[in-house]
């Protein structure tokens, strides 16, 4: 159903959600789904400043483990959300879903390159038609060893294998 | 009982005779069949497909769309599977879906 794209599959009993800025918005839906299915779910959220400070209230309402990071203001752990993966072994049994700015996703792609579980990037692009016809919302996805193909966020996505996304 | 007046919408465009003057813009209608999922394209006067190239083209790197004060700019870069695939896969579907101009 475009532009909602394809359903996001959740298969693991342990799910880590990593959100950057407003990217955290869709992760609430995944979190509630996991909670309703009795999966273990954890959130790492990162923000530039305190403009999203109120979102902590919404995260607390989920009643799950979470950590918040802030780059400029000090209402949360200092630094970028990727700091939350400092002890990456803690999440070795987790499937990881990420949503946020491309620079953040690129950092996570590097940090999670050896991760055993699933790593999923939930992407966003400017859309015109939203139904898979105009090819405006293209994202570059690795295909074969050196090749790539352009897929459409509105109809093929929004979730893609983080390892296969090419962040030019 | 009043007869309903049905206005005549048929037009001629060069040598083409169209049943109405509603034509899709090129570049917005894919290969001409995708929107059949939403409505019957045969109600239109004519359909224009996106441009096709001799060989397949990947198109431009993203971003391909940018919002402006007046609307959007787009530069898709002619992503298309090539004219051979259009002829083999899409044209038969178009012929089934869309009635010929009369």
């Amino acid at each position: 159903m475009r532009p909602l794209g394809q359903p996001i599959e959740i298969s693991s009993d342990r799910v880590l959600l990593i959100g950057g800025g407003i990217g955290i918005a869709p992760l609430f839906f995944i979190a509630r789904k996991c909670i309703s299915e009795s999966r273990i779910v954890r959130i790492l959220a990162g923000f530039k400043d305190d403009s999203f400070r109120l979102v902590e209230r919404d995260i607390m309402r989920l009643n799950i483990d979470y950590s918040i990071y802030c780059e400029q203001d000090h209402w949360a752990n200092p630094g970028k959300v990727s700091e939350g993966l400092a002890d990456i072994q803690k999440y070795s049994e987790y499937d990881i879903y990420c949503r946020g700015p491309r620079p953040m996703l690129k950092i996570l792609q590097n940090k999670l390159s050896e991760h055993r579980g699933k790593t999923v990037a939930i992407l966003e692009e400017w859309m015109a038609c939203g139904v898979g016809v105009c090819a405006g919302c293209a994202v570059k996805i690795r295909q074969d060893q050196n090749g790539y193909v352009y897929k459409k966020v509105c109809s093929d996505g929004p979730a893609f294998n983080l390892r296969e996304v090419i962040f030019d | 009982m009043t007869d309903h007046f049905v206005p005549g919408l048929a037009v001629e465009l060069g040598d083409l005779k169209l049943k109405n003057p509603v034509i899709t813009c090129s570049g917005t209608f894919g290969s001409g069949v995708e929107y059949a999922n939403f409505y019957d394209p045969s109600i239109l006067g004519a359909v224009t497909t996106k441009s096709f190239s001799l060989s397949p083209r990947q198109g431009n790197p993203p971003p391909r769309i940018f919002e402006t004060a007046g609307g959007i700019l787009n530069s898709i870069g002619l992503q298309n599977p090539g004219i051979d695939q259009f002829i083999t896969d899409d044209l038969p579907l178009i012929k089934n879906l869309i009635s010929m101009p009369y």
Side-chain angles (χ1 to χ4, degrees), chain A residues 126 128-129 133-136 138 148 150, chain B residues 30 34 58 61-62 64-65 67 76:
Chain A
W126 290 98
C129 78
V133 177
C134 75
Y148 65 89
Y150 285 121
Chain B
E34 293 90 337
Q58 293 270 40
R64 295 176 171 181
I65 291 173
E67 188 172 351
I76 309 299

Side-chain angles (χ1 to χ4, degrees), chain A residues 2 125-129 131 133-140 148-150, chain B residues 28-30 34-35 38 58-65 67 72 76 79:
Chain A
R2 299 152 188 181
E125 268 298 334
W126 290 98
M127 294 178 186
C129 78
V131 294
V133 177
C134 75
C137 59
V139 289
K140 213 172 185 179
Y148 65 89
V149 65
Y150 285 121
Chain B
T28 67
F29 214 66
E34 293 90 337
Y35 282 106
F38 301 99
Q58 293 270 40
N60 287 337
R64 295 176 171 181
I65 291 173
E67 188 172 351
I72 62 168
I76 309 299
Q79 177 176 343

Side-chain angles (χ1 to χ4, degrees), chain B residues 14-102:
Chain B
D15 292 338
L16 288 177
K17 291 182 172 48
L18 308 178
K19 63 185 172 199
N20 63 61
V22 180
I23 305 173
T24 61
C25 299
S26 175
T28 67
F29 214 66
S31 58
V33 296
E34 293 90 337
Y35 282 106
N37 290 321
F38 301 99
Y39 68 94
D40 178 9
S42 69
I43 66 175
L44 302 171
V47 161
T48 56
T49 69
K50 191 169 173 59
S51 300
F52 287 87
S53 48
L54 202 58
S55 305
R57 284 175 63 106
Q58 293 270 40
N60 287 337
R64 295 176 171 181
I65 291 173
F66 201 83
E67 188 172 351
T68 71
I72 62 168
L73 286 175
N74 82 309
S75 183
I76 309 299
L78 290 178
Q79 177 176 343
N80 76 93
I83 190 65
D84 289 338
Q85 186 168 323
F86 172 74
I87 291 170
T88 310
D89 295 350
D90 297 323
L91 205 49
L93 291 176
I94 292 174
K95 285 178 178 173
N96 277 339
L97 279 173
I98 300 170
S99 53
M100 302 302 285
Y102 66 96

